[in-house]
Amino acid sequence: MENRLIITKYSEQYYPPTPNNFTLFLRRSIFFQLIRFFILNYKIMKIVIKGHS
Amino acid sequence: MANIVVLGAGIAGHTAAAYLQKGLNKKEHKITVISPTPTYQWIPSNIWVGVGKMTPEEIKFDLRPLYKKWGIEFIQAKAQSFYPEGDEHINTGFVEVEYNNEENKGEKIKVAYDYLINATGPKLNFEATEGLIPGNGNIASVCTFGHASHAWELLQSKLDKMKNGEKQIFVIGTGHPTATCQGAAFEYILNVDFEIKKRGLEKQAQVIWITNEYELGDFGMGGAFIPKGGFISNTKLFAESYFVERNITWIKRAGVKKLDDHTIYYENLDGEYLEQPYDFAMLIPGFAGHGFKAYDKTGKDISDKLFAPNGLMKVDADYTPKPFEEWTIKDWPETYQNPSYHNIFAPGIAFAPPHSISKPMTSKNGTPIFASAPRTGMPSGIMGKVTADNIINWIKTGNATMIHKASMGRMGAACIVSAGYGMRKGTAATMTVSPVVPDWEKFPQWGRDIKTTMGEPGLAGHWLKWLMHYMFLYKAKGLPFWWMIPE
């Protein structure tokens, strides 16, 4: 990862996980994200319904 | 006839007013909303105003025509003092308010009530941090649409400087040792970074997060555990990963004490006094109550009966001081009813929380440095609705039992953390937590229901946030079937 090269080793920023190219592709893929959009809506609605009960 | 007065027209106050007018016959009952400004603003979209993606006009509207249509009286005024028992001339509770409109500015009037909803939100306590003045020099804020509009102007000037080859340091985060609302600052830093990179200016920019959180991802709710990629990990990893991916560095456990034109002065939990240079700062101020006073029938000051020492209103919470290890969700209020005067309620940010959600930390010099409890849009809206439902039930049945409840220890919340605007290239993290306040008795392992607590970055999150902007403004405007949209 390009960013990882400019981060000082052994600093706090050196350790956290970073997404690989496949994960980044999925985050930007219109088709995959369209599916996730409906799933996320469903998950949020579950929280909303519970909050109003 | 019942006379209901709502102080404040933000998310909690406006939601309460909307459900009151829907549930009560307005020929029999009177509803009055008192607010210093006649506009409603959808605060979560301030972030997009602050990076020039929306104008203030797109996130606000004039409440007066709507209230006229709904039969609600609107008074443009600021609350000053509370008289819950009335005085020698008025036998019912009343509030003294000062007009804030052009015609009557400065004039004070008494507004009587049978039921009072105090939804005045927080005072943005900028003065608690020396030099933290939005609009002054290189200091911006996104707390109001006006602040956010100025933030965009300032950001543009910095982008222009970078285009001319100047390096700029952007510092965004919390501007007080016990500030809350980290989520808004988190969104803003990600959006600023997105706009910088979109213009190819990242080599000229250093973007730094400064926070009073013990660890990143605390967000004032003690962080959360979320299942992802075969692990259950803390939001610390989630937030750090977001920053590392974007090459944003961070300063944590920092209590900002002072700013001058180019330097932020802060103390950390180790007791060190440090400095951070900046060219652009957007730091969330501390929140406080508005400093209202309350008097009994004889004129004796009874402010301590209505308000906690921080100026926020006392409600049905357990305010008994106790150590962090003994905190439970039972400490948190359910009905937002004042324990001394049962016809007064305080939903939204106006109520005094029993304590923070994050563990209180103190520096070696004795300075408290930790995130205060957040109360975001969704819980505030639910509290406003529950308050209205209880008052409607009280009026209709004559039974003062509070049958509707909404504790932050039981309700969940969804938060969409924008990280860049764009229908194709935008991104946001969709976060849900249930409950908001961790319930370690019911969920001993993770504090929350791990099946409904999540954090997921992606383009879909941006679509959701964009949809919610229009959906909640539609609801706030009282357009057809508004009440079918949940809070």
Side-chain angles (χ1 to χ4, degrees):
Chain A
M1 304 291 289
E2 188 190 353
N3 283 344
R4 199 47 65 112
L5 298 175
I6 55 173
I7 291 169
T8 310
K9 285 180 184 175
Y10 297 96
S11 73
E12 286 224 24
Q13 285 79 10
Y14 184 64
Y15 297 100
T18 44
N20 60 21
N21 287 338
F22 182 64
T23 301
L24 290 175
F25 166 76
L26 289 181
R27 285 184 189 176
R28 292 166 187 158
S29 159
I30 301 279
F31 177 71
F32 183 73
Q33 289 296 315
L34 201 58
I35 297 166
R36 296 307 302 167
F37 177 75
F38 291 106
I39 293 171
L40 292 172
N41 268 298
Y42 169 71
K43 288 186 170 183
I44 289 172
M45 280 313 292
K46 272 178 32 182
I47 294 266
V48 168
I49 289 163
K50 202 176 158 193
H52 285 64
S53 61
Chain B
M1 180 189 134
N3 184 11
I4 308 133
V5 172
V6 182
L7 298 175
I11 292 176
H14 182 59
T15 303
Y19 283 101
L20 283 168
Q21 67 82 28
K22 181 175 179 290
L24 293 172
N25 183 339
K26 280 155 283 181
K27 285 179 186 161
E28 286 180 34
H29 308 290
K30 186 181 175 195
I31 303 163
T32 306
V33 173
I34 301 171
S35 175
T37 57
T39 49
Y40 177 88
Q41 61 167 325
W42 179 241
I43 291 173
S45 296
N46 280 354
I47 300 301
W48 287 339
V49 175
V51 290
K53 293 298 163 197
M54 282 191 175
T55 62
E57 284 64 39
E58 286 175 276
I59 68 161
K60 67 183 176 86
F61 66 92
D62 192 337
L63 284 165
R64 288 168 293 192
L66 175 64
Y67 284 166
K68 192 176 177 187
K69 188 178 94 179
W70 276 351
I72 293 175
E73 185 186 353
F74 178 75
I75 300 174
Q76 189 180 337
K78 287 161 75 171
Q80 301 284 311
S81 42
F82 293 59
Y83 294 81
E85 299 167 7
D87 63 9
E88 56 186 3
H89 304 295
I90 302 173
N91 273 330
T92 178
F94 68 87
V95 282
E96 190 172 65
V97 303
E98 185 180 302
Y99 276 112
N100 201 38
N101 56 357
E102 282 186 15
E103 305 90 71
N104 316 87
K105 198 172 176 74
E107 187 186 324
K108 288 184 180 178
I109 56 164
K110 293 170 180 175
V111 183
Y113 63 80
D114 298 315
Y115 303 89
L116 177 69
I117 298 177
N118 170 26
T120 44
K123 176 191 171 195
L124 301 171
N125 204 10
F126 287 104
E127 51 264 47
T129 305
E130 188 183 339
L132 184 62
I133 305 165
N136 189 23
N138 297 312
I139 300 168
S141 157
V142 290
C143 293
T144 67
F145 62 81
H147 288 170
S149 185
H150 162 264
W152 170 229
E153 286 172 23
L154 186 64
L155 179 60
Q156 278 177 293
S157 72
K158 303 301 172 186
L159 293 170
D160 289 342
K161 283 189 175 185
M162 289 192 290
K163 279 177 198 162
N164 293 329
E166 279 188 54
K167 289 195 183 294
Q168 296 287 295
I169 303 171
F170 296 82
V171 184
I172 295 170
T174 51
H176 186 270
T178 58
T180 182
C181 231
Q182 284 78 11
F186 191 72
E187 280 191 271
Y188 193 59
I189 194 170
L190 295 171
N191 272 273
V192 167
D193 180 72
F194 183 84
E195 294 301 320
I196 290 169
K197 290 199 172 85
K198 200 168 82 177
R199 291 165 174 79
L201 297 169
E202 60 269 30
K203 286 186 180 162
Q204 307 302 113
Q206 188 183 355
V207 185
I208 301 169
W209 172 248
I210 188 164
T211 181
N212 56 0
E213 297 160 293
Y214 187 75
E215 294 291 355
L216 266 59
D218 181 283
F219 297 128
M221 54 173 193
F225 289 98
I226 47 176
K228 195 79 186 163
F231 291 85
I232 292 175
S233 54
N234 193 276
T235 41
K236 166 183 155 63
L237 274 188
F238 174 83
E240 288 181 349
S241 174
Y242 239 61
F243 281 167
V244 168
E245 183 192 340
R246 290 162 173 78
N247 201 23
I248 296 172
T249 55
W250 60 84
I251 301 165
K252 63 185 180 183
R253 305 172 191 174
V256 172
K257 296 284 189 77
K258 182 184 160 186
L259 288 86
D260 62 26
D261 281 349
H262 296 285
T263 310
I264 295 166
Y265 301 87
Y266 67 95
E267 179 187 345
N268 64 18
L269 275 180
D270 291 330
E272 299 168 304
Y273 293 98
L274 301 168
E275 297 176 8
Q276 172 58 53
Y278 76 97
D279 298 299
F280 177 100
M282 197 301 288
L283 304 177
I284 302 285
F287 286 177
H290 291 270
F292 298 134
K293 289 284 182 190
Y295 302 95
D296 72 3
K297 207 170 177 63
T298 64
K300 185 183 155 203
D301 191 325
I302 53 162
S303 301
D304 61 338
K305 272 175 109 173
L306 254 70
F307 303 104
N310 63 5
L312 296 167
M313 187 168 258
K314 286 181 182 173
V315 291
D316 59 318
D318 181 353
Y319 294 107
T320 313
K322 50 182 124 172
F324 174 74
E325 291 71 24
E326 292 175 24
W327 292 356
T328 76
I329 61 159
K330 296 184 191 83
D331 302 340
W332 288 79
E334 294 182 315
T335 62
Y336 307 93
Q337 186 180 36
N338 182 261
S340 302
Y341 299 98
H342 290 176
N343 59 342
I344 300 180
F345 300 81
I349 303 180
F351 84 82
H355 41 65
S356 60
I357 302 174
S358 304
K359 186 175 181 178
M361 301 282 182
T362 307
S363 79
K364 287 180 179 170
N365 307 316
T367 307
I369 302 176
F370 62 93
S372 297
R375 276 148 289 171
T376 56
M378 185 173 163
S380 293
I382 293 171
M383 289 173 210
K385 180 176 189 296
V386 161
T387 302
D389 288 344
N390 278 326
I391 291 174
I392 292 166
N393 182 63
W394 190 346
I395 292 169
K396 284 187 173 175
T397 66
N399 184 349
T401 308
M402 300 289 106
I403 57 170
H404 301 280
K405 294 177 180 176
S407 163
M408 282 172 65
R410 293 202 182 81
M411 74 169 94
C415 182
I416 317 293
V417 181
S418 171
Y421 188 99
M423 299 310 278
R424 292 286 300 274
K425 296 194 173 171
T427 185
T430 307
M431 293 189 69
T432 59
V433 289
S434 180
V436 178
V437 179
D439 183 351
W440 293 102
E441 288 174 21
K442 191 172 179 184
F443 307 106
Q445 197 169 8
W446 309 112
R448 296 185 175 92
D449 181 1
I450 206 71
K451 289 180 192 155
T452 50
T453 297
M454 63 158 184
E456 182 173 321
L459 178 59
H462 174 74
W463 295 339
L464 268 168
K465 185 154 178 99
W466 183 85
L467 181 71
M468 284 187 183
H469 166 87
Y470 289 101
M471 195 170 76
F472 286 120
L473 275 174
Y474 182 96
K475 179 183 172 80
K477 287 176 181 173
L479 294 167
F481 303 105
W482 64 267
W483 42 268
M484 289 185 75
I485 299 171
E487 282 61 51

